[in-house]
Amino acid sequence: MNNSRNKEWALVLGGSSGLGLATAKKLALHGFNIIVVHRDRRSDLEQIGSQFEEIAAQGAQLLSYNMDVANPGKRKEVVQKVKTHLGREQKVKVLVHSIAKGSLKPMYGEAESTLNQQDFQLTLNAMALSLYDWTKNLADQELFANDTRIISFTSEGNTKAWKGYGAVSAAKVTLEALTRNIAVEFAPMGIKANCIQAGVVETKAFQMIPGHEKLRDSAVKRNPHGRLTTPEDVANVVYLLTTEEAKWITGTVIKVDGGESLR
C-alpha cells in the first residue's frame, strides 16, 4: 500500500456494490482513505459491512453513509460531516460517481407501465444531475484537493437504443455533457473530470435491465477477448486516472471494454 497518500480521500457515490465497491477497494489498496455514500436496505447492510471491513483491512480510514445521493438536504448534511471529519489539512482527491438508480420502463406499451415525466426526472436526478450537485457542494465547502479527479460511469447506451433503457440512456448522455462542462468550468480549481464507458458488467443493476441476458450474450460474442468486463477491470482504470501521469486527461469518455464496442 502507498502510505504517502494517507491524507487523501476518495469519495465514492454508490460504493456498496458493483463498479463503485470494486473502485473503493482498489483505491484503498493504493493508500486512499475512503468515503462511501450508498443507499441500501437494512437486510443487506450486514453483507455490505463485511465488504467495508475488507477496505478497512487495507489500512484505510473508512466513512460510510447510507442515504439517497439525490436528496439535497441529506447531501448537505453528509458534506458537513465529511468536512468536520477531514478538518483543514485533509482533502477529497477523488470523486467517483457510480449511481445506478433509475426507471427501466419501456416508452411504448400499456399506458400504466410506460415511461412518464416523473420517471425521467428520478433517473436524471440520480444518475446524472447528482454528479454536478455533489461536485458543486464539495467545491463550495473547499473540500477538494488542488489536483482532484472526478470519474463517472457511462455505457454504450449513450449511443445505442434498447427497450426499457430510454431513461437511463438519457441520463448517461446528460452525465457525459456535465462531465465536459465540469472539466472546463472547474479547471481553475485543478479539477479533471472524465467518464469511463465500461463494457457489459454483470452487476445487480445490469441484471435489472429488461432482456439483459441477450445483452450479456451479445457482449461476449462481440468482445475480442470472449468475456465480459469485470468490476475490477474498470476499477483498475479509475486508479490509473488518479495518478500523476494521468493529470492531462480531462473532459473525455474513455472506453474500458476490452474492444467490445469495436464490433
Side-chain angles (χ1 to χ4, degrees), residues 198-202 223 227-234 256-258 260:
V200 169
V201 184
E202 199 155 14
N223 197 301
R227 69 167 176 84
L228 296 179
T229 301
T230 68
E232 290 72 27
D233 291 328
V234 179
V256 182
D257 63 1
E260 178 183 307

Side-chain angles (χ1 to χ4, degrees), residues 78-233:
V78 166
V79 169
Q80 285 301 320
K81 288 181 179 179
V82 169
K83 186 175 184 178
T84 299
H85 187 90
L86 268 58
R88 293 185 177 181
E89 293 186 5
Q90 301 183 82
K91 298 292 183 181
V92 174
K93 164 78 175 181
V94 180
L95 173 62
V96 178
H97 185 280
S98 180
I99 303 301
K101 176 188 175 182
S103 177
L104 292 167
K105 297 178 184 177
M107 287 184 168
Y108 178 75
E110 296 296 327
E112 66 272 13
S113 62
T114 54
L115 280 173
N116 58 42
Q117 188 72 14
Q118 185 177 4
D119 294 323
F120 274 104
Q121 290 177 349
L122 181 150
T123 306
L124 286 167
N125 281 336
M127 298 187 71
L129 302 181
S130 61
L131 172 67
Y132 172 69
D133 292 335
W134 280 87
T135 298
K136 185 68 164 60
N137 208 169
L138 290 165
D140 288 346
Q141 294 299 316
E142 300 181 345
L143 278 168
F144 281 134
N146 292 330
D147 178 21
T148 291
R149 315 298 169 87
I150 297 176
I151 300 155
S152 57
F153 301 132
T154 186
S155 73
E156 204 173 8
N158 56 7
T159 57
K160 294 186 177 180
W162 186 260
K163 184 178 180 180
Y165 203 72
V168 177
S169 181
K172 294 301 187 184
V173 173
T174 302
L175 185 71
E176 293 175 22
L178 290 171
T179 295
R180 289 191 294 271
N181 266 69
I182 288 171
V184 170
E185 299 195 44
F186 285 88
M189 293 184 62
I191 289 175
K192 291 86 178 175
N194 294 287
C195 281
I196 287 177
Q197 180 180 315
V200 169
V201 184
E202 199 155 14
T203 61
K204 290 181 180 179
F206 172 75
Q207 291 172 350
M208 294 177 67
I209 299 173
H212 70 271
E213 299 92 345
K214 292 182 179 179
L215 287 174
R216 178 193 61 213
D217 295 344
S218 173
V220 172
K221 291 177 181 178
R222 287 192 294 140
N223 197 301
H225 300 282
R227 69 167 176 84
L228 296 179
T229 301
T230 68
E232 290 72 27
D233 291 328

